[in-house]
Structures are given as C-alpha cells and as structure tokens.
C-alpha cells in the first residue's frame, strides 16, 4: 500500500497543470459566474451527451505467437471461470557448428526464465528485495501463492517460420483454439488451415513439478569456493537444473552433425519445448514469463580437456528462447456465456475478458436522432451527421465551411470529451475487494488497429516500472466512490479529428489490458477488411482476468449507463 500511495504523490505544480486539461460541469460554472460573470463573456460553455451503442464482441482464433510476454499456469476468475495457459517455444543456439572439445563432461544444465518483477527495497542485510505481484494471478486469501502442476516436454511439432499459403516471406501466424470443443485437457492451436494438438506431439518429459509455485525470491549465484567464494543476487526467475543426460544426447553428442550447423537444421531437429500447466485440485496460479529477456536461456555448463596436460577447461553452450513462441489456452468459462452482442440496441452488460475471451465495441454515433435546424425544423438524421451539424459552421447552401487548409471551421469548440464507463457493482470478486483495483481499460481505433490519437497527446508519461501509472489522463484509472466504480476515457482529440478532418473512425474497441504501454496488435484468423474487428491489442490476450461493465441498453439504469459527454465553448 505504501508503494501505491508514494506513486500517486505528484508535484503540486504538475497537478495544477493537469487539472487545467480536465473539464467538468462544476469547472465551467465557476469560470463563468465566479470569475468574470456570464454577462461579461462573449462565449458560453455547456455540455452535451450523445447517443452511443456499446455491445459485446466474442473473440476466437487470436494470434498467439509474437506476444511480448507469455502466461503460464492456472487462473480461476470468480466472474468467468478457469483459464489454463501453456507455452510452446523454439530454442536457438548462440553458436553453430560447436567444438565441445575432448572428453567433454556436462557439469550442469540450468534453465532460467525471468519473471516480471520490481524492486521493493532492501532487507536487513542490504540485499535487494523484489515482488512479482504485478504479473501474478491467483493468490490465496492469506497471500500465499496457489501451486499448479508443471511438466516440460520436448516438442516434436515443427513450428515453421513462414506461411506457405500466404505471400512471399510472410511469417507464419498461429491462432488460439481455447474453447474446449475437442477436449478440455490438451493444448491446441491453428496455423490457419489445420488444428494442431501439441499433446499428440510431445516427446520426453525433461522437467516435472506437481506443485510448482512462482517465487519472488532473488536468484543467488555463487562462484568459487571457500574464501574465494563470491555470491551475487539477481531478479526473480524460474530457474532450475535439468537432466544432464538428456542434453548430452540431444546436443553434446551431436557435435559435427549437420543438425547443429545452422538455424534451419537445428529447428527441424530440435523442435523446442512444451511447458504444460495443469490445475491442482481444480485450482492454481498464473504468472507472466519474460521469455524475450536476454537472460532467458538454457545453459549447458561443461568441462573439457585443456591444452595444458592434466587440466580441465570450463565452458558453456547456450540456447536462447527465440523463434516461434506460442501461448496456448484452455478456457472453461463456467459462469458466463460469451457471445456477440446487439449492435443496434447495445447490450446491458459488457464482458471484457483476456486469453481468447471477449471485448466491447463502442459506436460513438449510433443510429438515428432528432435534429432541429436553425429554422426550428426537426428531422430524424444519422447521429454522426447530427454531431457534425451541431459543431461545424454551415453555409447557406447546407455545406460545411472550410478554411484554407481544407479543415472544417467549427462554431463550437470541444474542450473535453469523456467516455464514462461504469463497472458492474455485482461483479463477483470472491470476496477480494482489491481484485480489480489495478485493472486498466485500453481504448483503441478499430479501423486502423492502433491507439487513439488522444493516446499520443496524453501529458502523463509512460511508466515502465509500474505500467499501471501510464497514460492515465486519456485512458483513466479505475475510481471507486460510494460503491460506484467507473473509468473516464478522454476522447477529445478523437472527436476533433472527426470534426476537423472528417475522420470516419467512429467505432472504438475496449479491452482489458495489463500494460497500456504495449501497443502491438494480434490478428484474428480469417478476418478481412470487411469485418468490424480484425485485430486486438496483443497485450489483452495475455491478460487472464476479466471485468464486467454496464453497457448502453435501455435496461441499464440511467446512472450506470455508458455515456459520451462533450464539454464545449461557443461564441455568443
């Protein structure tokens, strides 16, 4: 808790500057009546709400290779059900055609994969302490971590680098198949044309732990002996010794063989590893692994004859976790049935769930609305057209007036636009009031599969140590008051872009994100340009939790319904 409070303490000057960006009803009232007096102003300020529709989009067949990090383990979401995440990864040697020397003996084989951790201070001995809680899911009520069953197999399925059914040099994409329609025990993926069962392609088990628990303890490494012994400490990682006999047969004994001569030969020969997670008594925990780290590898420590007679030389052979890395999922959503929603009327509840789950689509200008022109004539017109007529300057012939740069001239200036999003007060948290405390909602441009323009104008900086505190003006932070949880997503520049440049990006996507600094997209299999949703933010796939929001259907209470509020200034 102390860390959270400390992170929110900003300089007073910065808070004053930031507050100048934030508009609300009270702010306008104070400016007009208390400072200048409305009779002395040559402009007025006001607020309008616009008709929007928010509905669910079920997500299936999402790209699961090329992710920035990878989930491993078991997570039971109180509101949704269980997700199990496993990993299939290729390995890449740091050198090819190795010379292991004479009389080679393996001393040890060590696998190390860093967790995502941050420093929390130092202990009584001055050693750095860490936490992995930001990327760990599934603690018990007393704070202890739930175990899961982990087995690492040799993978015998060849993960190709390029798609033979696509254009020249187009990389192969692998897609999720997590619905359990075949069975709920095996891990599946699709390459776009066929379904792969990795359990039917597993080789020897090289590691087994029936009660695996991710740890935030630092890694201690010692070199030397006696008074010469030096111990160093490094950030938490999944670090373990592997069976030397397996790696001797797989690598050392292949010296001089063509399978170790280049990347293609090696990946066809040694097709990688399959990290399979399984529940323990129906439960477990889930953790993010940083396989992209330069410290993620398998290191074979060995000795060989030295050029000096009677002495031995120590050496290493390193295999990195690079190449294709897939994150497979098995979902058992026992509490919620995910399906596409009502595009016209909107949905009552919006389901945001990662790991091949669901997202929300928000149509900012939905359907037909009544519009009254300057002559007092009211007609029913599209909501987007009514928005433009309300804010743009009209010519006598009905066209919109433009400036010399071909931008539309406005008669009303948008000071702030807020998408107000309320969280379901009945959301099941299994009694943990902090379960969704650090959730982030990421809003993105559905047409271009990228961040909204407001993201680029956000005055808050990216926080790489604690991503929760990044881009929190545009995307907002979850606020709770009097039992009401809500988010304010600022869309000021997005709406201005529609008005000034005639942008057609009127639909945005909402997903749950564990790191709003990550902006790359993951494709949806067989999607086309005619589809409403063709990609999702990749980080939403590796977000195992889910939340439930109120939508825009008429059944939603007025004080909980998602709304778009626009604060504007208009010359008198």
């Amino acid at each position: 808790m102390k860390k959270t409070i400390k992170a929110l303490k900003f300089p007073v000057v910065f808070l004053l500057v930031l507050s100048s960006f934030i508009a609300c009803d009270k702010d306008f009232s104070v400016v007009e009546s208390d400072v200048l007096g409305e009779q002395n102003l040559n402009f007025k300020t006001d607020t309008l709400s616009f008709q929007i529709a928010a509905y669910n989009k079920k997500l299936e067949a999402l790209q699961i290779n090329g992710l920035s990090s990878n989930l491993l383990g078991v997570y039971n979401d109180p509101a949704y059900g269980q997700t199990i995440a496993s990993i299939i990864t290729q390995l890449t040697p740091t050198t090819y055609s190795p010379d292991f020397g004479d009389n080679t003996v393996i001393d040890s084989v060590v696998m190390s994969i860093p967790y995502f951790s941050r420093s929390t201070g130092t202990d009584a001995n001055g050693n750095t302490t860490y936490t992995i809680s930001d990327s760990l899911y599934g603690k018990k009520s007393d704070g202890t971590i739930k175990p899961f069953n982990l087995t690492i197999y040799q993978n015998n399925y060849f993960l190709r680098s390029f798609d033979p059914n696509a254009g020249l040099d187009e990389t192969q994409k692998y897609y999720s198949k997590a619905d359990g329609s075949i069975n709920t025990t095996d891990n599946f993926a699709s390459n776009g044309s066929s379904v792969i069962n990795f359990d039917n392609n597993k080789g020897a088990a090289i590691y087994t732990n029936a009660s695996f628990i991710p740890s935030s303890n630092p890694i201690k490494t010692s070199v030397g002996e006696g008074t010469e012994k030096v111990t160093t400490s490094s950030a938490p990682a999944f670090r373990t010794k592997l069976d030397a006999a397996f790696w001797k047969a797989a690598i050392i004994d292949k010296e001089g063989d063509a399978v170790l001569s280049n990347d293609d030969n090696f990946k066809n020969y040694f097709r990688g590893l399959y990290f399979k997670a399984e529940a323990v008594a129906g439960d477990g925990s889930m953790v993010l692994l940083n396989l992209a780290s330069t410290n993620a590898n398998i290191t074979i420590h060995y000795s060989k004859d030295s050029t000096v007679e009677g002495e031995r030389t120590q050496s290493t052979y390193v295999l990195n976790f690079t190449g294709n890395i897939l994150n497979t999922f098995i979902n058992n959503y026992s509490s919620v049935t995910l399906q596409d929603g009502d595009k016209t009327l909107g949905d009552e509840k919006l389901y945001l769930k990662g790991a091949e789950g669901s997202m929300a689509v928000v149509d900012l200008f939905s359907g037909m609305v009544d519009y009254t022109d300057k002559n007092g004539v009211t007609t029913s017109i599209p909501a987007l057209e009514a928005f433009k007529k309300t804010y743009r300057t009209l010519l006598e012939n009905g066209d919109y007036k433009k400036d010399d740069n071909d931008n539309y001239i406005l008669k009303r200036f948008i000071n702030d636009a807020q998408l107000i999003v309320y969280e379901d007060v009945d959301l099941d948290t299994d009694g943990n009031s902090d379960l969704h405390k650090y959730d982030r909602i990421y809003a993105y441009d559905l047409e271009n599969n990228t961040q909204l323009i407001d993201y680029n104008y956000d005055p808050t900086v990216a926080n790489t140590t604690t991503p929760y505190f990044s881009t929190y003006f545009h995307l907002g932070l979850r606020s709770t008051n009097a039992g009401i949880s809500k988010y304010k997503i600022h869309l000021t520049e997005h709406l201005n872009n529609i008005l000034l440049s005639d942008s057609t990006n009127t639909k945005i996507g909402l997903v749950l994100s564990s790191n709003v600094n990550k902006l790359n997209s993951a494709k949806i299999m067989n999607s086309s340009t005619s589809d409403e949703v063709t990609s999702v933010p990749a980080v939403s796939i590796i977000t195992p939790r889910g939340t439930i929001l109120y939508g825009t259907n008429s059944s939603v209470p007025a004080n909980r319904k998602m709304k778009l509020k626009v604060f504007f200034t208009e010359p008198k």
Side-chain angles (χ1 to χ4, degrees):
M1 183 58 72
K2 290 181 180 179
K3 289 292 175 184
T4 302
I5 293 172
K6 182 178 180 181
L8 291 173
K9 290 181 178 178
F10 298 102
V12 173
V13 173
F14 177 74
L15 286 176
L16 291 174
V17 172
L18 182 59
S19 67
S20 68
F21 289 90
I22 303 174
C24 65
D25 294 292
K26 182 179 179 181
D27 291 338
F28 289 123
S29 175
V30 170
V31 169
E32 289 187 354
S33 61
D34 295 348
V35 179
L36 297 176
E38 186 173 357
Q39 69 278 8
N40 297 318
L41 294 175
N42 60 1
F43 62 89
K44 68 175 183 177
T45 57
D46 207 345
T47 308
L48 286 177
S49 294
F50 287 87
Q51 178 175 303
I52 64 175
Y55 48 90
N56 290 292
K57 169 63 179 176
K58 183 181 179 182
L59 296 174
E60 297 177 295
L62 308 178
Q63 184 183 341
I64 52 173
N65 63 326
L67 302 174
S68 59
S69 53
N70 299 94
L71 287 168
L72 180 66
V74 179
Y75 179 65
N76 285 333
D77 189 299
Y80 286 85
Q82 187 179 86
T83 292
I84 300 177
S86 297
I87 299 170
I88 298 90
T89 176
Q90 291 179 319
L91 296 173
T92 304
T94 54
T95 58
Y96 293 101
S97 300
D99 179 1
F100 295 121
D102 296 327
N103 296 320
T104 307
V105 177
I106 293 181
D107 301 316
S108 64
V109 180
V110 179
M111 181 178 70
S112 184
I113 306 173
Y115 298 123
F116 287 90
S117 62
R118 57 183 171 86
S119 170
T120 57
T122 56
D123 60 20
N125 298 319
N127 299 314
T128 303
T129 56
Y130 299 89
T131 181
I132 61 172
S133 61
D134 298 338
S135 55
L136 178 68
Y137 308 87
K139 288 184 180 180
K140 297 180 182 178
S141 57
D142 62 1
T144 57
I145 303 172
K146 302 173 185 178
F148 64 91
N149 183 17
L150 175 61
T151 308
I152 304 177
Y153 299 96
Q154 184 176 3
N155 168 49
N156 289 329
Y157 182 85
F158 177 66
L159 297 171
R160 60 195 182 207
S161 299
F162 299 98
D163 187 350
N165 300 314
L168 184 66
D169 293 337
E170 184 168 333
T171 57
Q172 175 68 58
K173 295 179 177 63
Y174 292 92
Y175 302 93
S176 62
K177 184 169 179 54
D179 58 5
S181 58
I182 301 176
N183 67 59
T184 58
T185 58
D186 295 353
N187 282 280
F188 298 92
S190 173
N191 59 17
S193 58
S194 60
V195 174
I196 309 155
N197 184 336
F198 288 102
D199 284 82
N200 288 344
N201 290 277
K202 63 187 181 186
I206 66 169
Y207 173 88
T208 301
N209 188 338
S211 187
F212 180 81
I213 298 177
S215 173
S216 60
N217 293 331
I219 300 299
K220 304 283 187 180
T221 306
S222 298
V223 178
E225 296 179 356
T227 58
E228 301 295 324
K229 185 176 181 179
V230 177
T231 300
T232 57
S233 178
S234 57
F238 171 22
R239 185 179 174 89
T240 187
K241 287 187 175 182
L242 301 176
D243 179 49
F246 173 86
W247 294 98
K248 180 179 184 299
I251 302 297
I252 301 298
D253 291 349
K254 294 296 181 180
E255 179 184 351
D257 195 304
V259 298
L260 299 186
S261 64
N262 60 58
D263 186 67
D264 289 338
N265 286 353
F266 180 83
K267 283 187 168 62
N268 186 46
Y269 158 64
F270 195 95
R271 299 183 173 184
L273 299 177
Y274 170 23
F275 292 66
K276 180 169 184 174
E278 297 171 285
V280 174
D283 211 344
S285 61
M286 187 175 287
V287 67
L288 271 175
L289 294 180
N290 190 6
L291 286 164
S293 169
T294 55
N295 295 321
N297 57 57
I298 294 174
T299 301
I300 302 173
H301 298 267
Y302 65 93
S303 61
K304 59 185 178 180
D305 285 347
S306 171
T307 54
V308 178
E309 187 175 353
E311 294 186 6
R312 301 279 289 173
T313 298
Q314 303 294 323
S315 191
T316 59
Y317 192 68
V318 179
L319 303 164
N320 291 320
F321 290 98
T322 55
N324 264 313
I325 302 176
L326 282 59
N327 221 154
T328 59
F329 303 101
I330 302 173
N331 290 330
N332 180 14
Y333 295 149
S334 56
S335 304
V336 172
T337 299
L338 301 179
Q339 57 189 358
D340 290 340
D342 191 323
K343 295 183 178 182
T344 303
L345 301 177
D347 291 331
E348 178 183 4
K349 299 288 180 68
L350 303 175
Y351 299 96
L352 271 55
K353 179 68 173 71
E356 197 192 79
S358 180
M359 62 174 286
V361 176
V362 182
D363 187 349
L364 296 175
F365 303 101
S366 171
M368 306 292 287
V369 298
D370 290 337
Y371 173 77
T372 303
D373 63 21
K374 64 179 181 179
N375 298 318
V377 178
T378 300
T379 55
S380 180
I381 63 175
L384 177 59
E385 193 60 32
F387 172 65
K388 293 176 181 178
K389 288 180 180 293
T390 301
Y391 285 88
R392 287 178 180 173
T393 300
L394 281 166
L395 297 172
E396 289 298 326
N397 63 1
D399 292 338
Y400 297 116
K401 189 175 182 180
K402 291 185 176 182
D403 62 18
D404 294 337
N405 295 318
D406 207 35
N407 288 322
Y408 291 97
I409 298 174
L410 304 184
K411 60 184 177 183
R412 288 177 173 177
F413 304 98
I414 296 178
N415 303 310
D416 191 23
Q418 302 173 4
L419 183 68
I420 314 260
V421 183
Y422 294 89
E423 195 171 42
D424 183 1
V425 294
D426 297 320
L427 179 65
D428 189 357
T429 62
D430 199 25
N432 181 0
S433 60
D434 289 337
L435 184 64
H436 294 282
K437 185 175 182 179
Y438 297 108
D439 284 353
R440 296 298 303 275
I441 292 179
Y442 179 73
Y444 75 104
D445 178 346
L446 278 183
E447 184 172 325
N448 298 302
N449 294 311
T450 188
Q451 71 272 22
L452 296 172
I453 189 172
D454 291 82
Y455 187 101
N456 302 323
Y457 284 92
D458 195 304
T460 60
V461 296
N463 189 320
T464 56
T465 303
T466 310
Y468 174 76
F469 295 110
S470 295
T471 321
Y472 52 82
F473 178 71
H474 160 46
L475 296 174
L477 298 176
R478 181 178 184 265
S479 65
T480 304
N481 186 29
I484 299 174
S485 295
K486 68 179 181 180
Y487 299 83
K488 282 185 181 180
I489 299 173
H490 291 263
L491 303 175
T492 310
E493 297 304 325
H494 184 71
L495 294 192
N496 278 328
N497 203 34
I498 292 173
L499 289 174
L500 295 171
S501 305
D502 224 18
S503 167
T504 59
N505 300 343
T506 60
K507 292 183 180 180
I508 64 175
L510 299 182
V511 297
L512 206 61
S513 173
S514 58
N515 188 341
V516 298
N517 297 326
K518 303 292 185 180
L519 303 179
N520 58 308
S521 295
K523 186 177 173 58
I524 298 176
M525 186 174 70
N526 296 330
S527 59
S528 67
T529 54
S530 62
D531 293 328
E532 185 175 53
V533 181
T534 59
S535 296
V536 297
V539 71
S540 70
I541 300 174
I542 51 174
T543 302
R545 270 204 298 265
T547 191
I548 302 174
L549 309 174
Y550 288 106
T552 56
N553 188 273
S554 59
S555 61
V556 180
N559 63 346
R560 295 292 184 274
K561 186 178 293 187
M562 183 188 296
K563 57 181 67 73
L564 176 63
K565 294 181 68 175
V566 177
F567 303 87
F568 65 90
T569 298
E570 180 179 20
K572 288 186 177 179

